[in-house]
Amino acid sequence: MNAATAKAHGTSAAAGVRITIRLVGMERPRAWLAAGIEDFRQAAAVSLAYGMFWVGLSIAVTVGAIYLGLWHWLLPLVAGFMFIGPLVAVGSYGISRALEANRAPHLGDALGAWRPHAGQLAMMGVMLMLVLLAWFNIAILLFAIFFGLKVPSPDALYAALLTTPEGLGMIAVGTVLGGFLAFGAFAISVVAIPTLMDRDLTFMEGIEASVRAVSRNFRPMLLWAAILTGCVLVGVLTFYIGLALILPVLGFASWHAYEDLVVIKSQEEGCELHS
């Protein structure tokens, strides 16, 4: 298979494997979400336990930031969750794999799902942390531009965010820049992390597959990114409690998205393409 043919069919040939990206329609994101809800229904107890783990961690981080006087970091921290969300879903992938193997999942499937592929997942974590650090630096710069270097009181700051030109301007610019960064993180990870969970590939091969999946299915994946963002925002607005349900469902749905989008075969299996 030559490079031109591979590109035309959304295929790349990594060492020993052939990764093919399927074309999907605009209806598929809703189907992934429905499949995620069904997985949650089949494994409600372990899914809720996994979701509550992240709820507890989110509350602990929030309380810690307030206790340490870093309350002004809460908004960037909450927004930054969008960058590392794919890593949070790793445990959900383990539960989905157990369901597909026709066995009852347990918490060990969720909490230990990363171990067989720890090295490559850690490298993906480093990539996403770099994006998160870039976001924190942007947040610091925007705050300095619009409010100066002195941190006002919590009441004054949050009132200013919603009632002054400076606050509204910072929110607008931050939303645009954060949106670009978040979509970049989404593009390199939405398929990469489940790919690494499923196959013994390098993190760069996973990133390549993820970027190609997004570029080849840009409109459906843009809709999927909007669904993920909206659901997480709803969870955050419930003081994190809603995340106990939302995070596992989105994780399951993301696993089904990966299975819908990506076909991986060894080179020995021939050159038949799926599209």
Side-chain angles (χ1 to χ4, degrees), residues 51-52 54-56 58-62 74 78 234-245:
M52 286 303 298
W54 289 105
V55 169
S58 299
I59 292 174
V61 170
T62 300
L74 288 180
V78 169
V234 169
V236 170
L237 291 175
T238 62
F239 299 99
Y240 306 122
I241 301 302
L243 293 176
L245 169 64

Side-chain angles (χ1 to χ4, degrees), residues 21-30 32 183 186 210-228 261:
I21 304 300
R22 291 190 179 106
L23 285 170
V24 300
M26 290 296 290
E27 77 283 355
R28 295 311 298 162
R30 289 182 287 274
W32 301 334
F183 190 76
F186 169 83
S210 193
V211 170
R212 288 195 298 114
V214 172
S215 62
R216 195 158 196 247
N217 298 279
F218 185 78
R219 291 180 62 215
M221 296 307 283
L222 188 63
L223 174 60
W224 184 230
I227 290 172
L228 294 175
L261 289 163

